[in-house]
């Protein structure tokens, strides 16, 4: 064995010690998501008394984790990410001056309100730096998402009855969303982890300055779920 071969052999074994092992697996999360609306137009909103309600949805996908020997690791996920948002509101009579105000007052007295339900589908790619402390791990990263499809539904509630005009395509939504994401995992068994994450979208996913009711929409998500590791050593 010459000196070059010896150097390559030593470098190979050193790399095994430094870079540790890799984990690959699948994950599934239950999500509570919402999209707070911020009006940035020069007009009044067409509604008032907004309330953001819990909107359950989910994520499924796979992950790859590269562990180092100093308890730190790098991880990336590939996820189908469903974002749901529900917002209830009552009409603002001052905005719609051309309608029958007396009729609107009667509707409001009967408990009339509307609900906007948005459905956004993404392919998400979060990348994390993490640190392992015993059975727990802490993650800090950044997520980028590619839009797959969007739609919305308006539900009207009046005197205990509900009605809808059906689902329609939601236009003027950016193709990409991005923002920081934090999380933790807890090792439940040899091949199973519990996971929790929080995502804070920083991109305004809608850009429609010609709309009189121009707003800023930014995604928020809290998730909890499981990870099944295919390659973890006992």
């Amino acid at each position: 064995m010459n000196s070059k071969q010896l150097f390559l052999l030593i470098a190979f074994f050193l790399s095994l010690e430094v870079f540790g092992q890799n984990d690959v697996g699948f994950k599934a999360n239950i999500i509570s998501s919402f999209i707070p609306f911020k009006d940035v137009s020069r007009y009044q909103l067409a509604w008032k008394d907004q309330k953001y309600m819990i909107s359950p949805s989910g994520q499924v996908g796979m992950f790859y984790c590269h562990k180092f020997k100093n308890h730190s690791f790098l991880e990336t996920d590939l996820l189908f990410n469903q974002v749901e948002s529900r917002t209830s509101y009552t009409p603002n009579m001052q905005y719609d001056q051309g309608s029958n105000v007396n009729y609107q007052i009667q509707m409001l007295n009967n408990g009339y309100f509307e609900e906007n339900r948005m459905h956004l589908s993404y392919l998400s790619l979060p990348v994390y730096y993490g640190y392992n402390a015993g059975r727990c791990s802490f993650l800090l990263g950044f997520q980028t998402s590619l839009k797959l499809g969007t739609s919305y539904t308006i539900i009207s509630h009046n005197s205990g009855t509900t009605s809808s005009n059906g689902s329609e395509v939601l236009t003027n939504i950016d193709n990409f969303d991005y923002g920081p994401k934090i999380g933790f995992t807890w090792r439940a068994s040899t091949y199973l982890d519990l996971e929790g994450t929080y995502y804070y979208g920083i991109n305004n996913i809608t850009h429609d300055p010609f709309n009189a009711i121009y707003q800023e929409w930014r995604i928020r998500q809290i998730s909890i779920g499981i990870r099944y590791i295919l390659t973890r050593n006992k």
Side-chain angles (χ1 to χ4, degrees):
M1 179 181 293
N2 57 39
S3 59
K4 183 178 180 179
Q5 292 173 327
L6 179 61
F7 173 80
L8 292 176
L9 184 61
I10 294 174
F12 172 75
F13 283 106
L14 286 177
S15 67
L16 292 179
E17 288 297 317
V18 172
F19 291 106
Q21 68 179 32
N22 301 324
D23 282 344
V24 178
F26 299 96
K27 64 192 307 182
N29 293 329
I30 298 174
I31 298 174
S32 175
S33 56
F34 66 98
I35 303 176
F37 297 171
K38 179 183 177 182
D39 180 35
V40 293
S41 71
R42 63 182 183 275
Y43 301 95
Q44 289 183 329
L45 284 173
W47 48 79
K48 60 182 180 179
D49 300 329
Q50 294 186 70
K51 296 179 182 179
Y52 304 109
M53 296 173 286
I54 295 176
S55 305
S57 54
Q59 292 176 342
V60 292
M62 60 186 304
F63 67 91
Y64 171 81
C65 178
H66 185 82
K67 296 183 178 180
F68 301 95
K69 285 297 184 179
N70 61 353
H71 299 284
S72 62
F73 59 89
L74 293 175
E75 179 176 316
T76 183
D77 303 342
L78 183 63
L79 305 170
F80 173 78
N81 182 15
Q82 183 67 27
V83 179
E84 298 289 323
S85 177
R86 296 174 60 201
T87 305
S88 68
Y89 50 86
T90 55
N92 188 341
M93 292 180 293
Q94 295 178 354
Y95 181 85
D96 192 4
Q97 298 178 358
S99 63
N100 189 327
V101 175
N102 291 329
Y103 177 69
Q104 288 192 3
I105 293 176
Q106 181 181 0
M107 292 176 63
L108 295 179
N109 290 336
N110 290 334
Y112 178 84
F113 69 95
E114 295 179 354
E115 184 180 334
N116 186 352
R117 299 182 181 181
M118 292 198 296
H119 322 285
L120 313 177
S121 300
Y122 289 96
L123 184 65
S124 297
L125 182 70
V127 178
Y128 304 99
Y129 170 79
Y131 183 82
N132 177 260
R135 298 174 72 92
C136 293
S137 297
F138 303 92
L139 304 95
L140 175 63
F142 195 86
Q143 176 173 290
T144 303
S145 299
L146 172 67
K147 181 185 71 177
L148 300 178
T150 63
S151 64
Y152 75 99
T153 307
I154 302 295
I155 308 294
S156 299
H157 302 264
N158 188 18
S159 300
T161 62
T162 61
S163 61
S164 172
N165 293 328
S167 180
E168 298 184 24
V169 175
L170 186 62
T171 59
N172 301 310
I173 299 296
D174 278 3
N175 290 325
F176 293 94
D177 180 50
Y178 49 84
K181 191 173 185 179
I182 60 174
F184 75 92
T185 65
W186 184 77
R187 183 169 177 172
S189 65
T190 301
Y191 299 107
L192 191 67
D193 288 350
L194 302 181
E195 177 186 74
T197 65
Y198 176 69
Y199 171 70
Y200 187 93
I202 59 177
N203 180 40
N204 176 19
I205 62 173
T206 181
H207 293 282
D208 190 7
F210 300 104
N211 190 337
I213 311 171
Y214 177 49
Q215 299 177 332
E216 292 183 356
W217 299 353
R218 304 179 194 277
I219 297 174
R220 308 286 188 262
Q221 286 184 303
I222 300 174
S223 74
I224 187 169
I226 59 173
R227 298 152 40 107
Y228 184 79
I229 299 91
L230 300 174
T231 58
R232 175 177 285 170
N233 294 327
K234 294 184 178 181

